[in-house]
Amino acid sequence: MGDADDPGFEEEWTVDATVRSDDAYLVQRFTLQAEADPEARFESTTDRCSIGSHPSNDLVIDDATVSRFHCEVLIDDRGARVKDMGSRNGTRVDGVRVEEGYLKDGSRVRVGRSTLRFHVAGQRNRLPLSERRELGTMVGGSVAMRALFAQLERVGPTEVTVLLQGETGTGKEEAAATLHQLGPRAEGPFVVVDCGAIPPNLLESHLFGHVRGAFTGAETGRAGAFEAADGGTVFLDEIGELPLDMQPKLLRVLEQREIRRVGETETRAVSVRVLAATHRDLRHEVGAGRFREDLYYRLAVIRLVLPPLRERPDDIPLLVSRFVDEMSLDRETELRLRSPAFLAELRRAAWPGNVRQLRNHLQRAAIFEEVPPLRPKAQASLHDLVEVDLPYAEARRRLVSHFERAYAERIIERHGGNVSAAARAAGIGRSYLHRLRGRGDDDP
């Protein structure tokens, strides 16, 4: 602890970041001011601020060394923090380069050659909360989920295009189905396309259809997803996996609302609402050149972020109750899965696979009384993993081995056990990912 009388002591910001009421989430207001440009100033009205050189950012910095989507400032129950968005030149907080770093009142955030001052304002911003604890097939009484429900309730009845962002297993498809059910096209079809599961050479046909003879094996013509969804909603899941050569074709459909089947010269009009989802941050993908900027803006008219399960542990009893009710269980098993001790164990877990992992765990626990232990939220710190009794080279090798095995396990869990999808996301080969997953402390 520092001493306030010490001239080197810098007082921390201790104001509560958030306050909750029955119908609202009150978030501390903050400002960001560029030191060299009095015009570059931002005062928050929500819980976040995007920063970059692109004009769509909340705070636009006219600096060639600042990336289009450079970083984002977010404030929630954990306080205020800045997250780098994969910028070229990095983000620094009080002189330290960070991927994600906490802010205090007066912190200096450096982006490119520009420096911003972060300050806490005296007021709070009011974010509405839904009165519901269930919406569609989604369940949650936490502030994070009630805030999401309020957004879904507001956006659902419109025709607006929505991009749903969240980790694998957080319920993006359920959120999309809820938007469809709340909307004016609820009586129409709801067609799901998993862009990450369809081979690239078949994706155009799957989306837009084909005529007979368009390619080898096309013995009959067929309608694509957009035609099948006519009058309803098409949901493009894992849109971040869409190949670059397919992106302008999708953009043209979104702009013109007409499709051309593969092998056909005439276009066909379609009337659909478009929803999309991804586990990636597409702003980062735009900056890296892996996703078209114009397509991103066509999809992200409204961007909704689904919270991971580890950030809403209070929802676990509600989720367990829902899943147990859906299962045909004997009385003894049901009581065991609803017991306080079992629920307490679930609340302590990290849940890298989120709600999907929770459902799978409950299904295993219903069959076997002994199931593999869950990984707790609090993992060993880097300090704990460094073995100073060993020579430097050996200690370093073991630490790298810990990281490689943990990374492989986590990314495979995030992709629901699909090693191919995990390898693509990691940018490495399947066989190499398998080797990392099986690597132990004694491996050479």
Side-chain angles (χ1 to χ4, degrees):
M1 296 293 291
D3 187 341
D5 294 329
D6 181 351
F9 172 75
E10 188 170 9
E11 185 178 1
E12 296 282 344
W13 168 41
T14 57
V15 178
D16 289 335
T18 59
V19 176
R20 306 174 190 182
S21 65
D22 290 340
D23 65 346
Y25 188 43
L26 305 179
V27 180
Q28 187 71 51
R29 190 174 299 178
F30 62 89
T31 64
L32 289 161
Q33 174 68 63
E35 291 185 345
D37 182 3
E39 299 298 320
R41 186 179 187 278
F42 172 84
E43 182 169 344
S44 69
T45 57
T46 64
D47 60 345
R48 64 191 64 215
C49 170
S50 62
I51 302 167
S53 59
H54 194 276
S56 66
N57 285 284
D58 300 313
L59 179 56
V60 179
I61 306 297
D62 185 13
D63 180 344
T65 62
V66 173
S67 297
R68 284 179 290 179
F69 302 99
H70 199 102
C71 63
E72 183 177 57
V73 171
L74 170 67
I75 189 164
D76 59 15
D77 287 347
R78 293 183 288 165
R81 59 192 188 279
V82 62
K83 180 180 180 182
D84 187 80
M85 305 299 298
S87 64
R88 294 189 309 273
N89 296 314
T91 301
R92 289 170 172 79
V93 176
D94 297 326
V96 179
R97 183 163 179 167
V98 298
E99 293 294 324
E100 184 171 2
Y102 282 89
L103 303 171
K104 58 179 178 288
D105 189 26
S107 282
R108 301 171 81 245
V109 180
R110 188 168 180 83
V111 291
R113 286 191 295 262
S114 300
T115 299
L116 310 173
R117 278 283 187 177
F118 172 85
H119 284 293
V120 177
Q123 302 81 22
R124 295 181 186 272
N125 296 316
R126 185 180 186 276
L127 306 183
L129 299 179
S130 173
E131 296 180 355
R132 300 173 185 247
R133 266 59 176 176
E134 297 184 13
L135 187 61
T137 58
M138 307 176 74
V139 177
S142 64
V143 167
M145 287 303 289
R146 290 175 59 203
L148 175 65
F149 289 171
Q151 293 174 312
L152 293 172
E153 289 168 338
R154 184 171 182 179
V155 174
T158 72
E159 293 271 8
V160 70
T161 302
V162 180
L163 176 65
L164 298 160
Q165 184 180 317
E167 296 177 9
T168 297
T170 49
K172 296 186 290 295
E173 184 171 341
E174 288 78 4
T178 299
L179 286 170
H180 172 69
Q181 293 162 8
L182 293 173
R185 298 173 178 267
E187 300 302 318
F190 178 70
V191 178
V192 180
V193 180
D194 187 342
C195 299
I198 302 170
N201 62 321
L202 298 178
L203 189 54
E204 183 175 3
S205 169
H206 198 93
L207 288 171
F208 311 133
H210 63 262
V211 298
R212 180 182 178 185
F215 49 83
T216 303
E219 298 179 357
T220 61
R222 67 178 292 272
F226 274 83
E227 279 188 85
D230 194 35
T233 301
V234 62
F235 172 49
L236 306 175
D237 198 9
E238 293 303 347
I239 190 68
E241 312 307 310
L242 193 70
L244 267 173
D245 62 346
M246 273 298 302
Q247 293 178 24
K249 298 175 183 179
L250 176 59
L251 177 63
R252 187 163 55 248
V253 172
L254 297 180
E255 290 178 336
Q256 301 174 0
R257 284 301 195 265
E258 58 184 25
I259 60 97
R260 181 184 289 113
R261 291 186 178 185
V262 177
E264 191 173 54
T265 57
E266 299 297 321
T267 60
R268 303 168 184 248
V270 290
S271 175
V272 296
R273 183 183 190 181
V274 178
L275 306 174
T278 178
H279 70 277
R280 302 180 185 276
D281 191 320
L282 291 188
R283 295 170 300 179
H284 186 183
E285 298 301 297
V286 168
R290 292 187 290 265
F291 203 85
R292 288 179 62 109
E293 182 178 337
D294 46 6
L295 178 56
Y296 169 73
Y297 285 109
R298 280 290 178 180
L299 293 170
V301 178
I302 299 291
R303 187 174 71 98
L304 301 180
V305 180
L306 277 70
L309 185 56
R310 63 181 174 275
E311 293 183 3
R312 55 184 189 105
D314 291 345
D315 288 337
I316 287 177
L318 287 173
L319 289 163
V320 170
S321 181
R322 164 69 68 85
F323 295 150
V324 169
D325 286 344
E326 294 172 353
M327 303 160 79
S328 298
L329 303 175
D330 59 71
R331 182 64 175 166
E332 182 180 349
T333 302
E334 182 175 339
L335 289 174
R336 175 165 56 84
L337 297 186
R338 295 182 187 269
S339 69
F342 184 72
L343 292 176
E345 178 188 352
L346 299 182
R347 289 168 63 96
R348 289 193 296 268
W351 301 115
N354 294 293
V355 178
R356 183 181 299 142
Q357 183 189 1
L358 173 62
R359 184 196 291 269
N360 293 343
H361 182 77
L362 289 173
Q363 291 173 341
R364 289 193 296 269
I367 300 171
F368 306 106
E369 290 194 21
E370 296 293 331
V371 293
L374 293 164
R375 191 170 76 223
K377 290 179 186 175
Q379 294 294 313
S381 68
L382 178 63
H383 183 274
D384 295 329
L385 291 174
V386 174
E387 299 177 64
V388 294
D389 293 333
L390 298 174
Y392 167 82
E394 178 63 14
R396 181 179 182 277
R397 186 190 67 80
R398 292 203 180 192
L399 186 60
V400 170
S401 179
H402 279 301
F403 160 76
E404 290 175 336
R405 187 169 63 253
Y407 179 89
E409 290 174 352
R410 176 88 186 269
I411 200 166
I412 290 171
E413 288 174 349
R414 172 170 288 186
H415 288 272
N418 187 326
V419 178
S420 296
R424 285 196 300 272
I428 58 179
R430 292 178 74 255
S431 59
Y432 186 60
L433 184 60
H434 272 302
R435 289 201 299 274
L436 295 184
R437 188 185 193 183
R439 186 163 291 176
D441 288 345
D442 296 328
D443 291 342

